[in-house]
Amino acid sequence: MTSAPPQLGDWPGEIIVAADGDTRNRRAAQLFASIVSRAAADRGRAMVALSGGNTPRALYRLLAQPEWRDRIPWDKLHVFWSDERYLPPTDPQSNFRVADEALLSRVPIPSKNIHRFLTEQGTAEEVASDYEQAIRDAFDPEPPRFDLVLLGLGSNAHTASLFPFSDVLRMRERLVAADFIEEVNGERLTFLPALINSAQNVLFLVNGAEKSEVVRDVISSPYEPERLPAQLIRPHPGSLTWLLDAPAARLVADISQSA
Ligand code: 6PG
């Protein structure tokens, strides 16, 4: 059952505004490195789900730089993806390929710690189901609880591959699902809200003036999760952080703090 609709006053997230993209990426790298290092120290490993799209590319490239690469215990980090396109891992549009090229191929993370959607091994439904089982196995005997889930935000308020008015928004019995998205004319694979909301830390990275209205709608408009799926992301007891550059934060500046 969805918890009570969030109102502006009790919005569970922290909104951090960075003056520009570089400041935002550095703050994101700080959050990434501290969450991963703390989890590795506390429990011997860190479980992180990367996001897709264009926004995180700059962060991935920054994390591969010696300044950040040398701060992260890559041998203790396990990476997953909060969503994926149903494409071969070699496809330029693959979220795995984007992260592999910008980051994973440039840091000493063991290949066994890279857990991608095996999109070449079955139908979209089968791939989603296998990925859910792989996540459950990775956390067994504990329930899945990622240390960090990275997310982006589409101009239509989708996040991961949770698109407006899609059937998967109402799925409660699954953690990962496949969904054909008319808008992109393709099959997508996605974490469902329950899996994201069980995370200890959820971090939205949003950049650019073209996202300012959807950021305001998601954060400030009444609760309409079918139209604004990103409103479904309300981790509890985990933390929710919005890390925005100034143009993206233009319409929520009055409730934000500066990076
Ligand atoms: C994907 C992403 C998706 C993305 C948003 C924002 O697979 O495309 O997971 O949810 O985060 O569409 O994309 P941009 O960062 O390219 O604006």
Side-chain angles (χ1 to χ4, degrees):
M1 182 185 79
T2 308
S3 50
Q7 299 306 319
L8 189 53
D10 68 1
W11 183 258
E14 178 185 17
I15 304 168
I16 302 173
V17 182
D20 53 44
D22 287 348
T23 309
R24 187 193 61 100
N25 290 328
R26 296 190 62 78
R27 185 62 183 269
Q30 279 169 351
L31 288 167
F32 185 99
S34 64
I35 289 167
V36 168
S37 300
R38 193 178 320 126
D42 293 352
R43 289 190 307 285
R45 70 178 188 174
M47 309 289 267
V48 171
L50 302 177
S51 69
N54 297 311
T55 301
R57 290 174 193 253
L59 168 62
Y60 297 158
R61 284 194 287 267
L62 182 59
L63 289 171
Q65 298 303 309
E67 177 193 2
W68 294 99
R69 186 187 60 210
D70 299 345
R71 298 190 200 186
I72 292 167
W74 298 100
D75 62 321
K76 295 185 173 60
L77 172 59
H78 288 258
V79 295
F80 297 74
W81 276 261
S82 51
D83 80 319
E84 186 54 283
R85 290 85 184 279
Y86 184 55
L87 294 167
T90 52
D91 190 292
Q93 294 297 311
S94 155
N95 290 339
F96 159 76
R97 176 169 165 176
V98 168
D100 189 45
E101 283 186 338
L103 174 59
L104 302 177
S105 60
R106 302 168 190 272
V107 295
I109 184 170
S111 55
K112 67 177 175 53
N113 290 17
I114 300 173
H115 309 269
R116 66 178 177 85
F117 283 87
L118 301 177
T119 50
E120 70 281 14
Q121 293 190 11
T123 65
E125 277 297 336
E126 288 165 343
V127 170
S129 174
D130 290 348
Y131 201 63
E132 173 166 333
Q133 191 54 55
I135 290 171
R136 290 183 184 281
D137 292 346
F139 282 91
D140 189 51
E142 298 299 323
R145 188 162 186 222
F146 281 89
D147 295 293
L148 173 62
V149 174
L150 289 181
L151 294 174
L153 181 67
S155 298
N156 64 354
H158 83 262
T159 189
S161 284
L162 301 167
F163 280 75
F165 309 107
S166 68
D167 294 339
V168 299
L169 298 182
R170 290 176 295 282
M171 278 189 179
R172 296 287 181 274
E173 68 288 349
R174 298 277 302 277
L175 298 177
V176 182
D179 194 14
F180 180 81
I181 307 296
E182 298 282 345
E183 200 168 324
V184 298
N185 190 32
E187 288 275 9
R188 289 291 188 94
L189 305 153
T190 187
F191 277 17
L192 294 175
L195 181 54
I196 298 172
N197 286 333
S198 65
Q200 300 210 51
N201 299 279
V202 177
L203 176 59
F204 274 102
L205 298 177
V206 190
N207 233 4
E210 71 279 6
K211 298 285 178 74
S212 61
E213 289 186 9
V214 68
V215 166
R216 178 206 53 207
D217 289 351
V218 170
I219 290 177
S220 308
S221 296
Y223 190 57
E224 288 181 79
E226 288 286 318
R227 184 172 72 86
L228 303 168
Q231 287 186 332
L232 288 165
I233 307 309
R234 308 184 65 232
H236 182 77
S239 75
L240 173 60
T241 304
W242 293 81
L243 188 46
L244 313 171
D245 68 1
R250 185 171 61 86
L251 302 176
V252 292
D254 55 325
I255 55 170
S256 311
Q257 63 179 335
S258 298

